[in-house]
Amino acid sequence: MSYSARGEGEIALLPDGQGSESVISLHQIKMFSFSEPRLWGNKSSFIANKDGKSHPESQNFEIVFTDGTILGGEMFATYKDECCLHIFVKEGKDLYIHTVSSLECIKTAKVGDHQADKPQIGNIEKTVATVSSEEELIRALNRQKTMPSLRLGEILLMEGMVTQEQIDDALEYQKTNRGVPLGEILIQQGLITTINVQQALAKKLGIPIVNLREYKIAPNVLGAVPRDFADKYTIVPIAIYEGKLVVATENPLNTKTLDDLRFQAKLFAEAVIASATDIKWAIKFYYQSQLDDASLDELAAAEIGEEEDKSMSSEAQALADNVVVKLINKVIVDAFDRNASDIHIEPYPGKGKVRIRFRKDGTLINYHELPAQYRNALISRIKIMAQLDISERRKPQDGKIDFKKFGPLKIELRVATLPTAGGMEDVVMRILSSSEPVPLDKLGLTAPNKKSLLKAIDKPYGLFLVCGPTGSGKTTTLHSILGYLNTPERKIWTAEDPVEITQKGLRQMQVLPKIGLTFAVALRSFLRADPDVIMVGEMRDEETASAGIEASLTGHLVFSTLHTNSAPESIVRLLDIGMDAFNFADALLGVLAQRLTKRLCTDCKQVYTPSDQEMYELAEEYCENLAKSENKKEYITQILNEWKMRYATENGKHTLCRAAGCAKCDNTGYRGRLGIHELLIASDAVKKAIVDHLSVPQVTTIALNEGMRSLKQDGIEKVVQGHTDISRIRAVCSK
């Protein structure tokens, strides 16, 4: 039995020997198979050698039909046309069967790890869609694994771009010009264009076409291929995936380029498609922003006076400007790679150098010092990037840098310039990386605190506050809570300054005090937008606090932050700025105070067994505010017994950790930060304390007696768990 096409959606079955053909509509059949694997189309061609060799690696597949039946097994290729899904099924060692299924009868299809409902079955076929992100690239490369192994000539024939006679002529020419690929011969002869070849390869082999103008290349990937190599071969590295270097090239079938690249990068190379124009643009855009550490050290060691700076030639000035562009990009990329939160640029007058420091894990660390000649150019370049007035040096300015316009990272930086003594200007840049919310389980809450927090925020209305100093993670915690509450049934509005974390499903507003869009104005406008949950970035004045309490009393769940040192202090602070005690007491659900402390480096921390005296002193410090002096020993013994049950080893001994130091933590012994928390729940006793205007110590005593644990107590418990040490807890806790 053989077959041929008879118009769209029809097939003519031709019996072997005598007999008339039968024309069948593919929309009326469920499935049929051929013993010889063929591609469907006007020009059918074998995609497997008859000896069974050179087949792609097989993958599992599963098709669920609309009648509930399931077809599954191993396959080595897929293909989809307008009406059918073709699966080339492996039935034995050298036996492959071509199975054709009508799309009308398919409910879902799965090949390898890729599955889609019927309208998206195309996610397992060859596609010509362009790729613009690493996630899309990985999906495309996974799809490519399921594509048949075809030669360029076969592809061009199937697409009707050339005839067999033209292919034969080109192959004949190639015999005397062996260094020229078939595709280039056909292009030189004017039979096809480069775009024709790229589209055909993308469609038939699944090789992704990458939009380099949108795709963001990570800095560590660029280091795999030197600039001169990229220029010579017109390629640009874009990703490292499954141990292979993925490079964008105009001709993905040029094996010589890939072989040379493998030798250069010491990695297997896999090619994707991009236009030569975009590749040259990407090389210029990405490599011009690269300044290696050796060059930076040379700049730091340079000693050039002001007079020399003024007498520079135009060529030297242009070179210096280019160095400044690269320098700023390198500083920002290095800060991001080192997980720094802020960049501080500090010029000194006269011949004093420009000091650059990063804030990492809450502590400033030195990065580099640069010659005085670069200070004006550095500040001006940053102002240009942040769209600030470069001529204004007497007043502070604020702005924002969208770094994806200048370098290889998709981040934003909040910029503040401040005039300093001697006619200088400092710059502080805070990195605002577009990040996803941290899951509530990853905040480091103890089990009792997490249970109490969930119980509080599951209420339909009320006011919940998160407090702490600047940089203590308040916004991160609020977004974690909103992520927990973010369901299709809830409408959530946020007013923030700035919007640092984005979540799908939230309606987020950036406040702009300069035009009168304050937190209070935003909050009152939300009430007209039928919200369920409202988050206000900060309650910094009476108007905002009053509006928040009013909203919580009228059926809304309201979240906000305060810059206070403890949970009890937050209550007294709001009363001091004029809140009505009765309304505030009715509205309040709870207050979560938090700090960020340094976490011990997991690669180098030293584990040791503490003495009984050391454990007793930790428990004594833990209990210093829990009980009166006459029964303190009783409480200390109780805490020690609780720790032994929860954290001690089988022999009853504790294991604590101390800082050591390694390359990964810059020899500090600490890497990353850890949250410590103090959760005050608005119980009846706490509400009465609010109405009675009790002092901070009085509210603290009531909360501790009701089960609240202070910041220091929460921190000490995390010392006993081995996450940090007591010196770090004492550094961030006053009590």
Side-chain angles (χ1 to χ4, degrees):
M1 178 82 68
S2 60
Y3 68 98
S4 63
R6 285 290 189 271
E8 183 178 348
E10 291 185 337
I11 185 173
L13 300 179
L14 306 172
D16 295 331
Q18 302 206 352
S20 60
E21 67 178 22
S22 300
V23 179
I24 302 174
S25 171
L26 288 173
H27 298 282
Q28 298 174 346
I29 64 174
K30 176 179 173 182
M31 181 179 65
F32 62 92
S33 298
F34 294 97
S35 59
E36 292 181 329
R38 296 172 177 266
L39 279 179
W40 177 251
N42 291 331
K43 293 184 177 181
S44 301
S45 65
F46 290 101
I47 66 168
N49 297 328
K50 292 184 178 180
D51 60 3
K53 295 180 180 178
S54 302
H55 295 307
E57 184 177 348
S58 64
Q59 291 193 49
N60 292 328
F61 80 97
E62 181 181 272
I63 298 175
V64 179
F65 294 97
T66 53
D67 63 2
T69 58
I70 298 175
L71 173 67
E74 283 190 315
M75 50 72 66
F76 69 95
T78 63
Y79 172 66
K80 180 174 97 43
D81 57 24
E82 294 78 10
C83 55
C84 291
L85 177 65
H86 300 247
I87 298 286
F88 300 88
V89 184
K90 185 175 181 180
E91 290 289 335
K93 182 178 180 182
D94 295 321
L95 178 60
Y96 294 83
I97 294 178
H98 178 174
T99 297
V100 184
S101 299
S102 170
L103 293 180
E104 295 292 323
C105 300
I106 295 176
K107 183 178 180 181
T108 61
K110 179 179 180 181
V111 173
D113 295 325
H114 302 282
Q115 183 166 341
D117 292 329
K118 187 175 66 175
Q120 282 80 39
I121 283 178
N123 80 336
I124 59 173
E125 70 162 324
K126 300 164 285 292
T127 176
V128 191
T130 57
V131 167
S132 58
S133 71
E134 186 170 352
E135 292 79 9
E136 292 175 359
L137 175 68
I138 291 172
R139 287 197 294 270
L141 292 174
N142 284 331
R143 284 197 300 268
Q144 186 184 349
K145 295 176 183 177
T146 68
M147 297 298 111
S149 178
L150 299 174
R151 295 176 179 273
L152 178 61
E154 293 176 306
I155 295 171
L156 298 176
L157 280 171
M158 288 189 300
E159 290 297 294
M161 295 181 180
V162 294
T163 65
Q164 185 62 55
E165 183 179 359
Q166 291 168 333
I167 290 287
D168 293 340
D169 291 342
L171 291 173
E172 190 66 29
Y173 175 84
Q174 195 180 43
K175 291 179 181 179
T176 55
N177 299 269
R178 293 190 177 277
V180 184
L182 176 65
E184 290 186 18
I185 295 173
L186 295 172
I187 292 171
Q188 291 171 5
Q189 293 176 346
L191 300 174
I192 55 174
T193 66
T194 301
I195 294 177
N196 292 150
V197 175
Q198 291 179 341
Q199 293 285 324
L201 293 175
K203 183 176 180 181
K204 293 298 182 184
L205 297 184
I207 301 176
I209 296 179
V210 180
N211 182 352
L212 292 176
R213 307 276 178 161
E214 294 292 330
Y215 189 97
K216 296 303 174 186
I217 305 173
N220 64 305
V221 175
L222 293 168
V225 179
R227 168 75 184 261
D228 56 353
F229 190 97
D231 280 326
K232 177 181 178 181
Y233 291 93
T234 317
I235 61 169
V236 63
I238 65 170
I240 296 177
Y241 174 62
E242 292 187 345
K244 291 183 286 188
L245 181 66
V246 183
V247 294
T249 176
E250 189 178 31
N251 180 9
L253 299 184
N254 189 333
T255 56
K256 183 181 185 304
T257 297
L258 298 182
D259 289 342
D260 290 350
L261 180 60
R262 176 186 174 186
F263 180 79
Q264 167 68 40
K266 304 296 189 295
L267 287 170
F268 283 96
E270 182 162 355
V272 296
I273 301 170
S275 70
T277 301
D278 280 0
I279 293 171
K280 291 175 181 177
W281 172 86
I283 292 172
K284 181 179 179 182
F285 177 81
Y286 285 102
Y287 283 99
Q288 77 170 0
S289 67
Q290 302 301 300
L291 187 70
D292 59 29
D293 290 332
S295 300
L296 186 57
D297 290 336
E298 289 177 9
L299 289 178
E303 295 287 350
I304 300 178
E306 291 288 333
E307 293 79 8
E308 281 185 81
D309 186 19
K310 293 176 182 177
S311 62
M312 292 172 70
S313 66
S314 58
E315 293 83 1
Q317 186 63 53
L319 180 60
D321 291 342
N322 187 42
V323 168
V324 168
V325 170
K326 293 181 179 180
L327 175 59
I328 292 295
N329 282 9
K330 177 171 175 57
V331 169
I332 293 173
V333 169
D334 283 355
F336 179 82
D337 288 343
R338 297 186 189 187
N339 294 317
S341 59
D342 301 270
I343 303 167
H344 295 250
I345 298 178
E346 303 162 339
Y348 289 87
K351 294 184 179 181
K353 290 193 173 185
V354 180
R355 183 168 66 167
I356 302 177
R357 297 192 287 173
F358 295 160
R359 186 176 295 280
K360 180 180 178 182
D361 296 336
T363 302
L364 282 171
I365 58 174
N366 287 325
Y367 172 68
H368 261 291
E369 289 188 349
L370 299 173
Q373 75 172 106
Y374 288 104
R375 63 186 173 209
N376 292 334
L378 284 172
I379 305 301
S380 296
R381 172 62 181 170
I382 293 171
K383 285 183 175 181
I384 290 170
M385 294 169 72
Q387 299 182 351
L388 300 178
D389 184 356
I390 63 172
S391 64
E392 179 57 72
R393 303 177 62 181
R394 299 169 299 171
K395 296 191 301 184
Q397 296 187 69
D398 296 318
K400 186 179 286 188
I401 294 174
D402 185 0
F403 190 61
K404 68 182 180 183
K405 297 178 181 177
F406 307 99
L409 296 175
K410 190 177 181 181
I411 60 173
E412 291 185 338
L413 298 100
R414 189 167 59 193
V415 179
T417 67
L418 302 97
T420 57
M424 301 292 101
E425 280 185 288
D426 273 28
V427 175
V428 179
M429 296 184 283
R430 168 156 288 190
I431 298 174
L432 308 173
S433 55
S434 299
S435 57
E436 297 293 324
V438 177
L440 207 56
D441 291 337
K442 303 295 184 182
L443 286 181
L445 291 162
T446 61
N449 277 346
K450 181 184 174 184
K451 182 179 179 181
S452 298
L453 174 65
L454 293 177
K455 185 177 179 181
I457 65 175
D458 277 336
K459 301 286 179 63
Y461 57 87
L463 174 66
F464 191 91
L465 301 171
V466 179
C467 68
T470 300
S472 60
K474 299 185 298 295
T475 300
T476 299
T477 296
L478 279 180
H479 270 278
S480 297
I481 293 172
L482 294 181
Y484 172 81
L485 296 172
N486 188 7
T487 62
E489 295 79 24
R490 288 191 176 100
K491 181 65 175 283
I492 303 176
W493 279 98
T494 76
E496 304 171 68
D497 184 22
V499 177
E500 296 184 40
I501 301 173
T502 58
Q503 291 193 55
K504 185 178 181 181
L506 268 58
R507 311 311 301 151
Q508 297 176 258
M509 179 184 292
Q510 168 77 54
V511 300
L512 298 168
K514 291 181 180 179
I515 64 171
L517 181 55
T518 62
F519 284 122
V521 171
L523 199 158
R524 295 191 186 281
S525 67
F526 291 165
L527 297 179
R528 297 188 291 271
D530 188 30
D532 297 298
V533 181
I534 297 171
M535 191 268 272
V536 182
E538 184 182 349
M539 286 189 173
R540 58 178 63 161
D541 52 49
E542 181 182 359
E543 183 183 9
T544 307
S546 296
I549 291 173
E550 178 186 333
S552 65
L553 291 173
T554 54
H556 306 91
L557 188 56
V558 180
F559 296 91
S560 190
T561 71
L562 282 173
H563 284 97
T564 51
N565 293 321
S566 68
E569 187 178 321
S570 301
I571 291 175
V572 178
R573 173 71 60 83
L574 287 176
L575 292 174
D576 288 344
I577 66 174
M579 295 301 96
D580 179 83
F582 290 96
N583 287 342
F584 181 31
D586 285 344
L588 187 65
L589 297 174
V591 184
L592 179 70
Q594 69 179 57
R595 297 286 189 280
L596 293 177
T597 188
K598 292 185 178 182
R599 184 190 294 270
L600 288 167
C601 176
T602 55
D603 288 290
C604 67
K605 66 180 180 181
Q606 295 178 351
V607 180
Y608 71 98
T609 301
S611 65
D612 292 341
Q613 180 63 26
E614 184 175 354
M615 292 304 300
Y616 185 89
E617 290 173 356
L618 276 177
E620 186 177 32
E621 193 167 353
Y622 182 94
C623 296
E624 61 186 6
N625 292 321
L626 258 183
K628 296 179 180 179
S629 58
E630 58 266 20
N631 57 0
K632 182 170 289 187
K633 288 186 178 181
E634 179 183 336
Y635 275 90
I636 292 173
T637 302
Q638 180 182 333
I639 293 300
L640 284 171
N641 289 334
E642 289 180 5
W643 288 351
K644 185 172 291 188
M645 290 178 59
R646 293 182 197 167
Y647 311 121
T649 58
E650 293 181 0
N651 60 6
K653 294 292 185 180
H654 286 281
T655 55
L656 299 185
C657 299
R658 61 167 64 99
C662 66
K664 290 187 177 180
C665 62
D666 296 324
N667 292 312
T668 63
Y670 304 95
R671 182 155 54 98
R673 290 197 282 179
L674 174 73
I676 57 175
H677 306 92
E678 175 181 282
L679 178 59
L680 184 154
I681 296 298
S683 64
D684 291 341
V686 171
K687 290 178 182 289
K688 186 176 185 305
I690 295 173
V691 173
D692 293 341
H693 288 264
L694 297 186
S695 65
V696 172
Q698 290 172 312
V699 176
T700 301
T701 299
I702 292 171
L704 288 172
N705 290 336
E706 294 206 330
M708 183 189 82
R709 291 296 174 260
S710 68
L711 287 164
K712 192 169 190 179
Q713 289 168 343
D714 192 62
I716 291 174
E717 189 150 343
K718 285 163 183 173
V719 171
V720 177
Q721 292 172 338
H723 300 313
T724 186
D725 59 39
I726 190 62
S727 67
R728 295 298 93 204
I729 300 302
R730 290 170 181 156
V732 298
C733 297
S734 58
K735 295 182 181 180

